[in-house]
Each structure stands twice: as C-alpha cells, then as structure tokens.
C-alpha cells in the first residue's frame, strides 16, 4: 500500500458549555501515515509490551463519556475524502469529544473493503491518536475475518475494537461465546448489541460470561435502559446510543454515549453527557434524534451533513438521500434549534435531487 497523505490541522480546543459549535481552524499541514502503520501485514509487538499497552488502553477507554461514531465522507468518484474526514474529526475534537469510532455502521464500514477500513483506522490513529482514543470497527459475521481485522487494527494502533455479533448467518448463544472468545485474546473489545441491525439480541447470560475476560471493555447496548441498569449494577461498563443516552447516563449508570447526533451537534451532546441531568436539553435534542432515524442510519446523517456544507453530497449505494420533503424538514429543524449549535460555517440549504451524486461502483 502506498504512503497515504491527507491534511490534518494542528490546533484544537474545547468549547464552553453554552457556546456555539466551534469550527476547526484548518491549516494545510500534512499528516502522513507511516508505511509501517499503513501496511496490512504488519505484525503485533511482543506479547509483554502489547499486554501493558492494552491494560492501560482498557482503563482509559472505559472512562470515555463522549464518543462520536464519525461519518466517512466521499469524493465524487466514491473514494474516501480524507480532507473532509479530517475536518469532521477536528470539529469533534474542538468540541470536546473523547473518542472516535472509525468505520462503524455510521461510518459505513459495511461499504468498505478491509483495506479501506484498516487504512482509515491507521490514518485516524496517526493524525488524531494523541488527542482522542480511537476505536476501530472490526466486526464481521465471519469469525476468521473478525480476528484478522482486529489484529490489523491493533497493529496500526487503535485503542479498542468494536464488535457486533454475527448477523445474517446467526449462531447460537454458545456460538456467540465461542466467537467472542476467539477475539478477546487479541486485545480490548467493546461488544455492540444492536438487534435492529444484527437480527439477534446478545442476551445478558452471554455478556456476563464474556465480561470475565480481562480484555472485555464493555458493551454498547441498544435494547433499553432496563438492561443498562442491570449491567451497571453488576459493574459492567455500558455505552448507549443517542435516544437512550440521557437517562442511561444519569439514571442507569451508563458511562456515556457512542453518538451519531454528535456529528451534527457535538457541543450539545457533550453538555448532555457532562453537564448533569438536563431533561430540557434532552427534550430539545429528542426531535433531532428521531429525525436522524427517519430512515435507516446513516441516510439522514449523510443528507444533513451535505446540506450543512460540511461534506460533499456523495452517497455510496445502497444508500440514497432523503426525500425533498425530509430535506426541507431538516432545514426547518436547524432553524428551530439554532444554526449556531450545528457543525459547519455555511448556511444550511435544501439540496435538490440533482445536487446529489450516487455511486454504485466505488
């Protein structure tokens, strides 16, 4: 793989609790992924040094209250737009994010080759690993592929791996335990339970077995806050998604959120996670949370970021933009909530159908 080159800025700062979203002051400084980090066949360090690194990484990751599942933007050709990606991540850092989830379902890892996915993890580590924790999606319904991706992700420096349970060709509960027990020796793992995507709930009986492994970091739980409370009462670290996050954080003991909405309003999500119980803010955000899932995610997010002028209006199939009526609804939502809370510096606009580029071969 050739050396990868993109633009990364060098200055970053945190926002105040009630200030508008802070833009990143981009300076054209090059960020280079070293060839040794970008190669996919790079080998892990010695077992002893890796164990020490992983132990520290697990403790650090378990404390993260605010993680953004970052969007992956594209060029009109359908290739990854690393310059826009860097800008998105820099905006997140400027507004206080603690962790970046790379190439998850929001970041469309499911539409990437493994080469693209590991490259993007390596790029994120190289450019931003000194400012945020990097969590790489390495999940697959094929255990062999999941192991390989996890090894490669840790070889290029990610702090933890996110793993969904095997989907489509589902397995038994015993198979789930065996699948994850094949992954946990590789390094720190966050288990992702989202039955709406995988078609299968990971039951507490499985999680409680896996939680005994020292490389088990925690679980991103999407079933509901009753289960969140059950886990946290047993000392299991839990993150939630946006809709559950406020009550999960302040009433049920969740450590924080792995957020989609923070791609759009990072300052408000940070306040929701750090500012104490705030039902008024949660209610204000709930309209946005609901809008983001008006169609399967990340369709609405992709459309929104394009209308805010932060990414190019390019979609990889099978995703297509929201309808014109839904796009108008987003513009009205931004005006109601206040443009200052949203990322980007351009006026929000309603894009026409012809403004979007839909790519089938990428």
């Amino acid at each position: 793989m050739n050396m990868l080159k993109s633009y990364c800025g060098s200055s970053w700062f945190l926002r105040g609790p009630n200030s508008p979203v802070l833009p990143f002051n981009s300076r054209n400084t090059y960020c280079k992924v070293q060839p040794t980090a970008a190669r996919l066949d790079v080998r892990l360090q010695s077992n002893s040094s890796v164990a020490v690194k992983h132990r520290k990484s697990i403790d650090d990751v378990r404390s993260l209250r605010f993680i953004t599942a970052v969007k992956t933007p594209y060029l009109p050709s359908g290739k990854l737009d690393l310059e826009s990606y860097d800008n998105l991540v820099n905006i997140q850092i400027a507004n206080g994010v603690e962790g970046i989830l790379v190439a998850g379902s929001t970041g469309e890892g499911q539409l990437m080759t493994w080469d693209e996915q590991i490259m993007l993890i390596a790029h994120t580590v190289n450019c931003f690993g000194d400012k945020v924790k990097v969590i790489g999606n390495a999940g697959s319904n094929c255990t062999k592929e999941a192991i390989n991706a996890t090894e490669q992700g840790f070889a290029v420096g990610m702090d933890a791996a996110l793993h969904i349970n095997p989907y489509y060709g589902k397995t038994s509960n015993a198979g789930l335990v065996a699948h994850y027990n094949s992954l946990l020796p590789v390094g720190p793992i966050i288990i992702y339970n989202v039955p709406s995507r995988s078609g299968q709930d990971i039951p507490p009986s499985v999680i409680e077995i896996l939680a005994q492994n020292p490389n088990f970091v925690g679980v991103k739980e999407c079933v509901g806050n009753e289960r969140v409370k059950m886990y946290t009462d047993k000392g299991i670290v839990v993150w939630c998604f946006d809709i559950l996050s406020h009550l999960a954080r302040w009433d049920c003991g969740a450590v924080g959120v792995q957020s989609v909405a923070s791609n759009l309003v990072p300052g408000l999500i940070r306040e929701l996670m750090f500012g104490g119980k705030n039902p008024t803010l949660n209610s204000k955000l709930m309209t946005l949370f609901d809008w983001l899932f008006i169609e399967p995610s990340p369709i609405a997010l992709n459309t929104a970021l394009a209308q805010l002028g932060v990414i190019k209006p390019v979609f990889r199939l099978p995703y297509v933009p929201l309808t014109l009526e839904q796009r108008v609804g987003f513009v009205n939502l931004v005006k109601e909530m206040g443009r200052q809370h949203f990322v980007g510096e351009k006026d929000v606009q309603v894009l026409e159908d012809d403004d979007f580029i839909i790519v089938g071969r990428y």
Side-chain angles (χ1 to χ4, degrees):
M1 183 179 294
N2 294 329
M3 182 178 292
L4 306 164
K5 185 180 292 184
S6 68
Y7 293 98
C8 282
S10 56
S11 62
W12 62 288
F13 46 90
L14 300 182
R15 71 187 293 278
N18 295 307
S19 354
V21 168
L22 297 175
F24 177 74
N25 183 16
S26 179
R27 299 170 183 170
N28 291 337
T29 56
Y30 283 104
C31 175
K32 298 179 182 178
V33 176
Q34 300 300 325
T36 53
R39 288 183 55 183
L40 299 185
D41 60 349
V42 66
R43 294 294 180 260
L44 294 173
Q45 307 165 45
S46 68
N47 289 338
S48 58
S49 62
V50 169
V52 171
K53 178 183 183 296
H54 284 175
R55 182 69 258 161
K56 184 177 187 302
S57 181
I58 289 172
D59 293 339
D60 290 343
V61 173
R62 281 177 176 163
S63 69
L64 300 179
R65 288 166 285 181
F66 179 19
I67 300 168
T68 291
V70 71
K71 154 68 180 167
T72 306
Y74 306 114
L75 298 167
S77 64
K79 301 299 183 183
L80 304 189
D81 182 355
L82 292 180
E83 186 172 355
S84 295
Y85 177 84
D86 291 347
N87 183 55
L88 288 176
V89 176
N90 276 315
I91 290 172
Q92 294 298 315
I93 292 171
N95 287 276
V97 76
E98 299 175 306
I100 293 291
L101 170 59
V102 181
S105 54
T106 302
E108 299 180 25
Q110 64 273 18
L111 304 186
M112 295 181 190
T113 65
W114 282 117
D115 282 8
E116 285 180 314
Q117 198 158 327
I118 301 303
M119 179 279 293
L120 192 58
I121 293 170
H123 174 83
T124 308
V125 169
N126 189 65
C127 291
F128 308 106
D130 60 335
K131 302 178 179 70
V132 290
K133 295 298 177 184
V134 177
I135 301 161
N137 172 31
S140 174
N141 56 357
C142 171
T143 303
K144 177 183 176 181
E145 288 196 4
I147 292 170
N148 289 340
T150 305
E151 289 176 340
Q152 291 166 6
F154 283 120
V156 299
M158 69 183 182
D159 295 288
L162 183 76
H163 276 279
I164 196 168
N165 47 310
Y167 46 87
Y168 185 64
K170 297 181 288 186
T171 187
S172 62
N173 287 347
L176 288 175
V177 172
H179 172 77
Y180 283 114
N181 276 337
S182 296
L183 296 165
L184 283 162
V186 182
I189 303 294
I190 298 172
I191 293 175
Y192 184 18
N193 186 34
V194 54
S196 63
R197 288 194 182 274
S198 69
Q200 180 182 32
D201 180 29
I202 306 175
S205 59
V206 169
I207 294 294
E208 289 166 13
I209 292 171
L210 299 173
Q212 299 172 32
N213 190 294
N215 277 341
F216 174 90
V217 180
V219 58
K220 180 180 179 182
E221 181 57 71
C222 299
V223 166
N225 280 333
E226 183 178 345
R227 183 167 303 177
V228 172
K229 184 69 165 60
M230 179 177 65
Y231 285 152
T232 59
D233 283 348
K234 296 180 178 182
I236 295 173
V237 172
V238 181
W239 292 269
C240 280
F241 70 112
D242 292 299
I243 292 173
L244 300 178
S245 63
H246 180 255
L247 290 178
R249 169 86 171 95
W250 300 109
D251 288 352
C252 302
V255 67
V257 66
Q258 294 185 20
S259 177
V260 175
S262 55
N263 283 276
L264 300 175
V265 289
L268 294 182
I269 301 301
R270 179 178 171 83
E271 189 172 346
L272 198 69
M273 292 295 101
F274 285 80
K277 196 168 183 179
N278 191 337
T280 301
L281 176 58
N282 189 53
S283 178
K284 178 179 180 178
L285 285 165
M286 199 58 67
T287 304
L288 176 63
F289 295 162
D290 290 340
W291 183 87
L292 279 168
F293 293 91
I294 197 170
E295 294 287 0
S297 182
I299 293 170
L301 174 64
N302 296 357
T303 305
L305 286 170
Q307 294 200 151
L308 289 165
V310 180
I311 65 171
K312 298 172 181 66
V314 181
F315 280 69
R316 282 184 171 185
L317 284 173
Y319 298 130
V320 296
L322 293 179
T323 65
L324 179 59
E325 181 182 359
Q326 292 166 331
R327 300 196 298 265
V328 170
F330 176 69
V331 171
N332 293 334
L333 179 58
V334 171
K335 291 177 179 177
E336 289 171 10
M337 292 183 64
R339 177 64 183 88
Q340 72 276 14
H341 296 303
F342 287 78
V343 298
E345 298 178 331
K346 298 178 181 178
D347 290 337
V348 63
Q349 60 179 320
V350 178
L351 295 179
E352 301 296 330
D353 290 345
D354 291 342
D355 293 324
F356 290 97
I357 298 171
I358 314 298
V359 184
R361 293 179 181 271
Y362 40 82

